[in-house]
Amino acid sequence: MKAYSPTTCLAAGAERGVCILWNITGDSSRSALLQCCPAPTGAAVSMPITVWRRGGGALGSSRVILLHHSETVNTIGKMTADNEIDIKEAFQRAQKGHNNKAKLVASLRSRYNKLEDKTLFHEEFVHYLKYAMIVYKREPTVENVIEFVARFATSFQSPPKTEEEEQQEDEEEEEEVEDDHPFLSFIFNFLLESHKANSHAVRFRVCQLINKLLGSMAENAQIDDDLFDRIHQAMLVRVTDKFPNVRIQAALAMTRLQQPKDPDCPTINAFMLILDNDANAEVRRAVLSCIAMSPRTLPKVLKRTRDIKENVRKLAYQVLADKVHIKALTIAQRVSLLQQGLHDTSEAVRDVVCSRLLPSWLLRLEGNIIDLLHRLDVENCAQTALDTLKAIFKNKPNEELLQEGVQLGNRKLIPVDALTCENVLYWRALCEFIKAKGDEGDEMLEQVLPDAATYAEYLNGYLRAVPMLSEEQRADFSQLELVMTKEFISQQLIHLIRCLDTNEEGGRKRVVAVLQEMLGLPQTPSSLVSLLTEKLLTLIPDDQRRIQTVAEIISDVREPITEASQPVDENESRRQQVQLAEVKVRILEAKQTLEDFITAQEFSRAAELKDSITELENRRNQILQEIAESSQPADKETRTEKNDPETLLRCLTMCAELLKQMNITTRIGPTISALMSSLVLPSIANAHPAVRNMAVVCLGTCTLHSKELAKTHMVLLLQIAQLDEVKIRISALRAIIDLLLLFGFQLLSETAANQTALPSQSPDRQEEDAPLPAAEEKGEAAGDTSKSILLMFSEFLDSEVSDLRTETAEGLAKLMYTGRISSAKMLSRLVLLWYNPVTEDDTRLRHCLGVFFQLYARESRLHQEVVEESFLPTVRTLMNAPATSPLAEVDINNVLELLVDLTRPSALIKPSTNTEEVCVHDYLAVRMCGEMLKDPTAPEVRLYAKTLSNLELSRDETVRKDLQTLLQQLVQVVRDRVCLRALEKMLYQLVDSKEQAELLSASALQPLDVNADETATEDPSKSAKRAKRGQRKACTAKGGRKPSRRAESSEESDGENVPESVSAVRPSRRAKTAALEKTKLDLNTLINQEANVS
């Protein structure tokens, strides 16, 4: 390239009589006209030169366009005056991100406006636009061109008319002015004609351009009704496109076509359908970002907060925070949003709730936290309200925490008259939040909470003021609501005890005394008994003191002190004395006779006599008690035992809380034994269900502390679990499962040791040998307690009561995970229960089993073997399910994928380092081959053949040879084409390359169909290549999972021109940079190539 100075350039132009225009590539936005001189007519000349700076040095390589004056003086004048450019140059400049697109738009628009015939401009514009529309990849240059086209097209959009202009136009009605500019209409027509193109790239760019065109228009812009309908119909078609990116752009394009006030708006209907059914998360996100909020769409957006994808849930919370006022949500919806969002498994979702949703709600409530709590109904969702307050406190400095919220008096207490559910809950949450700071929060805690003794008096006064309602008063809803509110406030005040500083002895003793006094008062509400007992026990560290304290309170509650009002009767007293003397004489005579019998070794008669002595002593004690009661003066007090349901329930609640708080290693002493015999066991036979239920809870908790007690009462718990009401059965079932978890099935063996000798097998393995639900073997199973329990569990899994079914499944999951049960049949039952449509609404069951399967299978290889043993029974059950059974609706392929994934060697938490070890999938492959050989025409053969290709097989030669032999036998007998292809693929994974030709010729792999002759004459090498196309590496611990059909449907590419992946050495950073530069797309190459061809 020659180098010229500016002077030389001017001289050259003057000599040739031309005007010189240069465009510096280093700064493409700059251009300058150096000189224009008259010259003869002739062709324009273009030559490359180097332009120099004024201070010296080259500025950049440029192309100087030499235009003859006679032909181009007008054009040059226009370009200098209006800065006009042609279409090609506009598209070339638009590719560069640093170009000012507003100038490009203005220049091209100026040229367009001066043209009389717009047709050629339209055709040339679309011609260059097509170069960008055939590119599917989101290249920066293409995106810049699309942005330029959208801005240029919408620059012709006429500004919206004001009301005055519309009125004037209505009055005149002389001329009709087109609403849409011809160029804008032309672009829309071109795009709408192209939206059905075969190329997914074109469809994508069409939807993208329509989205940008509509989005670039003014907020109150108007378009023709016919054009609106055409766009609407086209985008409704494209939102069902095969490619997710096309669906995304189509959905975004329909944003401004929504009509929220129209109950039958097709756009909103399509959006709601996409939110519910689209398999691609990005499509759902796109719809969430643009859907208009209305009473119809709000439930769909709320549902996306429970989406399976984290990004969708996150965006759903952002949309709700930005577009939905808190008053537009019901209390249940607000609580559900906070409960799910604050406990979401994703930290990003939790952050959005804390940083976007809660501040948005507070902003709309003018920052009033108490008002926010009032809108959450804290009485029914106290825990959610506490979590919400803690999330708010985390984002506030300490100074604001002490200034906002509740107003405390001089004693650092809320006045009793000012206590409400909201401010007392705020007080509790604030104290607990500050307490959690540790030593840092001690000083702050002193500013919001008094000393322990002062607070104890405050609590005592409020609890005593809680009224007791009679049966008539309970019928009055207003009075009942008032009492319930006071009970809720009392609960929060009791919870605040844990925040008190109880290190000081005097304050702690006063709090303990108040709690004991409240538990002993009959007017204390039953709903507070458990909480009061819990706080009392936390202040008493020693278990023996705990037992003694609670036992005394129970004694005072059940046998309160009453005044004796009957006068002393002299005759009755004398009669009692005579009876007492007579009984004493009979006791002495009986004891003398007893000694004689013992001396004579007549033990049977001695035992009978001993019972008589016991009855006489009881009679004597009764007479003594009657004498003592009758001899008491009228002003003395006496104890009377109370057995009403309310008193028994109160005592049992305290006993249950005591047993829960006791250390598991604490043995059952005389006091607990006395409570068991006098309170718990008699209450199990009580007529009141609530009393029986609490007694079962006490019994189950007590047996955890004593193995001997567990042996004694296990049979009783089993009877209750089968015969009582549902709630009581569930309590008994929990107790049984806890005992089995703690002591194992050996407890049952020891219980039944005196009745019958058990076989040498462990109870865990005995269950495998006996079919669980078989009716003909129920009699045999009943003889073995362990089998009876497992049979009972199996029956509970089939129960119509969802709570009982869920509790049983959760208990079995715990027993299997801890190794107390190892049963493939029971695991198969749980898998079938998880997939059963009957349990679709049982969220707790589905969640529990979903977590259990993953943890159980990943824990150890032994667990994977159990899963492998359950494979075939599960498949048989599903295949044999009658049409009327809910199991007939289960997708068997999904079940097989789950079981295969659970048994993958790579799924283990601690996978084996020995790659030659025989893995679980090896055994599974052999089992499936054996099943297929039993009946090659069975419908499940196709399932097994498909599953074989998903297995991770080890490199053990023995196993591989066995599988080769089985597969060779299978291809001889299987006639199904799909199965043959799968088996052929599997066979080529196992054999060496040297053996492939021999095996191929030895086995009849051709499918039997109408095209058998053509297939038979086909070259074997082609067949081998077909098999290799689907071939993947032999299964090791690094094997991958085959993508599901749903995942394949969501791929971004249609598979055209996709190169095969080859293994290569990892490139260096410099090589990566060079490769990245090469991949940058430049449309100039395509445009210039087209120009040269033409």
Side-chain angles (χ1 to χ4, degrees), residues 285-342:
R285 288 187 75 246
V287 174
L288 270 178
S289 65
C290 62
I291 191 171
M293 287 294 104
S294 68
R296 290 179 60 216
T297 59
L298 180 58
K300 301 295 182 181
V301 177
L302 291 173
K303 189 176 180 181
R304 287 307 102 203
T305 60
R306 302 185 296 275
D307 196 277
I308 192 174
K309 292 294 183 180
E310 168 189 335
N311 290 337
V312 180
R313 300 197 302 273
K314 179 180 175 182
L315 182 61
Y317 280 106
Q318 292 175 351
V319 170
L320 290 170
D322 297 338
K323 298 182 180 180
V324 181
H325 197 285
I326 184 174
K327 294 181 180 179
L329 301 170
T330 64
I331 292 178
Q333 289 171 341
R334 299 169 197 158
V335 173
S336 177
L337 282 175
L338 293 175
Q339 188 174 8
Q340 295 167 6
L342 294 174

Side-chain angles (χ1 to χ4, degrees), residues 1058-1071:
V1058 178
E1060 294 184 1
S1061 60
V1062 295
S1063 59
V1065 182
R1066 183 179 180 182
S1068 63
R1069 181 174 298 178
R1070 183 175 299 177

Side-chain angles (χ1 to χ4, degrees), residues 956-974:
D956 183 83
E957 292 299 329
T958 305
V959 176
R960 297 172 76 87
K961 289 181 180 179
D962 292 342
L963 284 177
Q964 290 177 24
T965 304
L966 290 171
L967 289 173
Q968 291 176 24
Q969 296 176 9
L970 281 171
V971 296
Q972 301 282 347
V973 295
V974 173

